[in-house]
Amino acid sequence: MTDTSPKSVTVNFKVALGDGAFSASATVPEGPCNLTEILPVLQSLDDSLLSAVTEQLAEANLSISCKAGCGACCRQMVPLSIFEAEALAAWIATLDPETRQLLAQRFHQALLKFASAGLIDRLATEDWLTDDDSARQLTLDYFNQSVPCPFLQDESCSIHPIRPLICREYLVTSDPRHCADPAALQIDPVPVPLSFSRILNHMGAELEQGTHGWIPLVFLFAWMESGAHPGSAFSGTGPEVLYEFVRRFEFARKPNKKEPESPARAAPAVLE
């Protein structure tokens, strides 16, 4: 019998990280695929990198305080890359009609709340990720509406295995109770040496000139109406698509925001 299952190939990574190195392997399709289709690979690599960061923090007597049931950060603005929006749209399409309708209602209610607060236009046009007074004020105005992420259930993420990269990269070492009042209490975020979410945003901005490359997560159901499939713009064999992502690592080390010093820093990656 002929084996017709898709063939895969393993690509090895090595990234200098602090005094050591972060090494990882990624298994990608040997044949044709696109950027959205290899998101699970990028999620796994990001998780591995964050695990390495966590280990370095432990050596500095610091620990991650985020845990299930602590959902204060899930009331913050979430810039969702258009590729992750495409993947979530595909996942939502697999849900039963009742669950899809429940999610649609949650997203609709969130938009109504922000509309009544006069924030919709600002959410659609302003760049939240810049380090200026306007962006910081928008972040606080959003948070002060106390609107939970539509995917939040019992203060825990209901899509944790497939959650956006930027959610994975938001970690703190401060008391988690401080996250409920970021304007008054000190929050100590963990600087990430390589932000995979920034790379996806950059690639999205390349594809859609004049945009940020991401959408507000609360706009997801509205965005789904477009039927867009941005991942297909970056197509090729698995290694080729992964290389398109890896070769943009430089953008992951040039944050829009100033970040505090971290014991975990990265140097260029080697793709084998």
Side-chain angles (χ1 to χ4, degrees), residues 4-266:
T4 59
S5 59
K7 295 183 179 180
S8 60
V9 62
T10 299
V11 180
N12 298 316
F13 287 85
K14 187 173 183 180
V15 184
L17 190 63
D19 296 329
F22 164 63
S23 299
S25 296
T27 300
V28 296
E30 185 177 62
C33 64
N34 64 52
L35 183 59
T36 298
E37 291 171 342
I38 69 164
L39 276 178
V41 175
L42 304 182
Q43 292 166 348
S44 179
L45 285 171
D46 204 20
D47 288 345
S48 296
L49 175 61
L50 294 173
S51 292
V53 170
T54 300
E55 291 176 4
Q56 288 203 349
L57 289 172
E59 294 174 2
N61 295 317
L62 295 171
S63 61
I64 304 298
S65 52
C66 308
K67 58 185 178 181
C70 174
C73 64
C74 298
R75 289 163 175 79
Q76 295 186 35
M77 298 190 299
V78 177
L80 179 70
S81 76
I82 56 176
F83 309 105
E84 292 170 301
E86 180 184 4
L88 283 175
W91 175 78
I92 289 170
T94 68
L95 301 176
D96 62 84
E98 184 177 350
T99 302
R100 286 201 304 271
Q101 182 60 28
L102 176 61
L103 270 177
Q105 291 175 353
R106 289 179 181 175
F107 275 87
H108 181 63
Q109 290 301 316
L111 291 179
L112 287 178
K113 184 70 179 292
F114 291 124
S116 66
L119 293 177
I120 290 294
D121 288 343
R122 293 175 63 195
L123 293 178
T125 59
E126 293 187 26
D127 187 349
W128 314 343
L129 300 180
T130 57
D131 187 20
D132 57 36
D133 291 340
S134 178
R136 285 189 289 271
Q137 187 59 55
L138 177 56
T139 299
L140 287 175
D141 290 343
Y142 185 107
F143 186 82
N144 288 337
Q145 298 305 309
S146 298
V147 176
C149 171
F151 293 118
L152 190 68
Q153 290 184 195
D154 299 323
E155 296 304 306
S156 294
C157 180
S158 65
I159 59 167
H160 196 265
I162 58 172
R163 69 196 186 282
L165 294 179
I166 199 164
C167 297
R168 297 164 192 265
E169 294 167 356
Y170 184 81
L171 300 168
V172 302
T173 56
S174 48
D175 189 326
R177 292 175 296 182
H178 291 192
C179 294
D181 191 1
L185 301 174
Q186 179 176 333
I187 297 177
D188 299 321
V190 176
V192 180
L194 286 173
S195 175
F196 282 25
S197 64
R198 286 197 194 103
I199 302 177
L200 285 185
N201 292 344
H202 178 81
M203 295 178 78
E206 288 180 16
L207 178 59
E208 298 183 350
Q209 295 295 321
T211 71
H212 306 309
W214 49 263
I215 62 169
L217 184 144
V218 292
F219 286 6
L220 175 59
F221 267 70
W223 181 89
M224 286 165 53
E225 295 296 323
S226 70
H229 296 285
S232 61
F234 297 94
S235 299
T237 65
E240 289 172 343
V241 176
L242 188 59
Y243 174 71
E244 285 301 308
F245 183 85
V246 171
R247 76 181 183 86
R248 291 170 171 81
F249 268 7
E250 63 176 296
F251 297 104
R253 291 189 295 271
K254 293 181 180 179
N256 293 319
K257 293 184 177 181
K258 294 180 180 179
E259 295 181 336
E261 291 295 319
S262 168
R265 298 176 183 171

